[in-house]
Amino acid sequence: MSPMTLADRPAGMPALSLADLPVGARARVLCVALMDGLGDRLVELGMTPGAPIEVLRRGMLGGPVQVRIRDFALSLRRDQAGTVQVVMAV
Amino acid sequence: MAASQTNTCLHVALCGNPNTGKTTLFNQLTGRRAHVGNYPGVTVEQREGDHRTAEGGHWRVHDLPGAYSLTAHSPEEEITHQALTGQFGSVPQVVVVVLDASNLARNLLLLLQVAELGLPIVAALNMMDAAKQAGLAIDIAGLTADLGCPCVPLVARTGKGLAELEAAVELVAKRPELAAIAETAWSEPVLQAIASARACDERLATLPSGGVLWWLCAEPSLVDRLQPGLGQALRQAVPRELLPETDLRRRVVHERYQRIDAVTAQRVQRQGAPQRSQSDRIDDVLLHPLAGGLLFLLAMGSLFQAVFAWAQPLADGVAALMNVLASAVRDHLPANLLRAVLIDGVLVGVGGTLVFLPQILILFTGIALLEDSGYLARAAFLADRLMARVGLPGKAFVPLLSSHACAVPGILATRTMNDPRDRLLTILIAPLMSCSARLPVYTMVTAAVFAGSTPLFGILSLGGLIVAAMYFLGFLLALLAAAIFRRTLVPGAGAPLLLEMPPYRLPRLPNIARVLWDRGRDFVVTTGTTIVLLSVVLWGLMTFPQHGLDPAERTRLNAEVTAQHLQGEALAQAKAAIEARDAQIHLQQSAAGRLGHFIEPLIKPLGFDWRIGIGLVGSFAAREVLVPVMAQVYGKGSQADVDDRFAADVGRSMAGAGGLTPLSGLSLMVFFAIAMQCLNTLATIAREAGSWRWALFALTYLNTAAWLASLGVYQLGKFMGYS
């Protein structure tokens, strides 16, 4: 089974940036576009293709985003979240 | 058999994700009192301790730093990997992987990596109580079967499950087996990468597949550092379809998660909808965009108020105590140099150290409360946006805020920051925050040269505005310095914010007491020694050579006083004037006084004469010392406790004698706002940044910046026709 890529996404579901999702949105991870160590870390923390993800909180004035991934709440900066591509869960 | 068991010592390593309770378990096992935080990343160095099992066995327990993965994105993870592969001595015989039972999937990733290295493991499922509250039912027997290693439910905080853990470790030690989950097949391309890597370099030939994968997935820079020449072989080993190497790394992690998901889907049952924990509900308020922000300001405001104001009476008490001590020494020793060095050198240094203790202890009580309760992680979340704009993490907020009271506790507070480069950056800019020791200087100048100005808009005094401007100046320069250092000294982006909120807990008093004791003792013993030494040196500069009032001159002055037939108060005043004159000459003739003359060409362009030069030398002990030193220079005698009235009085004397004008006063304030003239801060930086080089660097950059800024102010002002 090969990891899901942008090409495999369900038909008609646009790829979105995690940073743009509103609080309460549930989605699935497509890929982490960031190709450096930080991107690797996000993948290790559970952001593997297909993993369910939910936006819990958004900090004020462009502050960090808190998401639920694999049963824990992770806070990351808005620009870091912007490198995570997701599709909305159906 | 039994005898040999009691004699040999079993090496057991504890590893796990940050904040899973490793250190709590370590303390339970060894009876040691290592600092337990409720904040990810409390264990920085390795700790060892001994444990006696119920059956008389002897364990050497190693507490490893928290790690999300062994791929080593952080120094903690590198240490953990090195310890597990025996690079600090022997390979551990049993590894206890501490798992947060309420969050099994992510925790199992590390367990898998440890198992892949071929190490015998025991899984300790900690925080079973929290998992139960979250509505999770874990099938322990099933999990044990799937992972192929003993799984022991545990509540490390209460010690529940420790006996079972002990038995499981002893069992694995007797019959070390590879955990079954580590043997599961990788996909074809990954297997191919492992095989080619083994063929490419003999160093990899004998490693288990997980060991080879570790090298394949490690950062290239880390590989080059640990095993020069290996990186090249590894790059050739990666199959084309898994290039770039990031793809290989992510493929490996993805395949691990696929195995983990298969296990957790079977063995972890969620009862009902995901439960919102009490912490989640508290966070709804404390992390609320509006209410959370206001409560954050309130919390930080109280912390600042505590350090700034509440410490004052205690500090006064310390000062009073030192005065009592000084008089005792004065009464019991003859008037000689030994007495002078004891009183004015050593005791000043000791007092100068101890006077910081109330602030440090109050600040660390506050920080320990915030940390232990779990709020510090929330504060980092809330402050992150603000701080990220200047390239600093949210965790830098508390240290920089505290530095507005005093840089010494502020710099100590950077210990809560776990990225060493972010920490260094924060330490270097902390002295720019306008601390309370600058206030007497500001008072002295504003009272002398700005007091007569008409209030702006009827209410705002010019002096008050200028003092506010000094706070702002320090803050702005700190931002500027941070931006510059981010591009030069510590290049690259700061540590990313990847924050896991710990659950809220009631702070534990013994925990806080231990932090206070450790921090306080460390400051007094280590930093205090340096402060005392520097104080003695400074005393020497201001004492030698000893030329006071010329004896003939003194006789003449005494005769003059006698001739006036003064009585009571007037007589005492006249005598005090002679002593003040003596002290004035003494200081001017001392090494510090000559230094003041010597540096005059350097400070003249800033509008300072040699008398202020002496003040600059003397105020290196602490900024507020400028006021008594100037008093002595201007022949106003020496007075130990400086209050606002005295400061203003000294300032007016300076202005009256032409030593201070509005323009040179402004220039002096700017100089004090920026310059580092505080040997306590200097000693603290040397201690906390780990090297005197950083302390000297801070001294140089701050004082150069201060000189340039004052030069700009004075010369521009003069050009514009002010004086």
Side-chain angles (χ1 to χ4, degrees), chain A residues 34 40-41 70-71 77, chain B residues 77 249-250 261 270 384:
Chain A
L34 198 63
D40 289 347
R41 169 47 44 95
R70 291 190 188 273
D71 280 338
R77 292 202 182 112
Chain B
E77 294 177 354
R249 273 183 237 152
R250 294 187 184 181
D261 288 343
R270 193 177 283 289
D384 190 76

Side-chain angles (χ1 to χ4, degrees), chain B residues 294-308 397 401:
Chain B
L294 290 175
L295 287 167
F296 171 77
L297 289 180
L298 188 71
M300 293 298 128
S302 317
L303 183 67
F304 182 69
Q305 178 66 16
V307 177
F308 195 81
F397 188 85
L401 177 77

Side-chain angles (χ1 to χ4, degrees), chain B residues 19-28 32-39 42-43 47 63 157 368 371-372 505 508 510-512 514-515 518:
Chain B
N19 220 29
T20 48
K22 285 177 306 300
T23 305
T24 310
L25 178 60
F26 176 78
N27 285 347
Q28 286 276 6
R32 292 230 340 224
R33 296 268 155 263
H35 171 45
V36 183
N38 187 21
Y39 193 81
V42 168
T43 313
R47 270 191 291 260
D63 183 23
R157 215 147 21 105
E371 180 178 335
D372 227 33
R505 274 193 221 137
R508 287 152 296 180
N511 210 356
I512 294 174
R514 198 161 53 244
V515 171
D518 287 350

Side-chain angles (χ1 to χ4, degrees), chain B residues 108-129:
Chain B
L108 282 173
L109 183 76
L110 181 72
L111 180 133
L112 226 61
Q113 289 178 305
V114 178
E116 284 166 15
L117 291 175
L119 293 162
I121 52 176
V122 171
L125 280 81
N126 196 17
M127 307 188 185
M128 286 298 285
D129 46 348

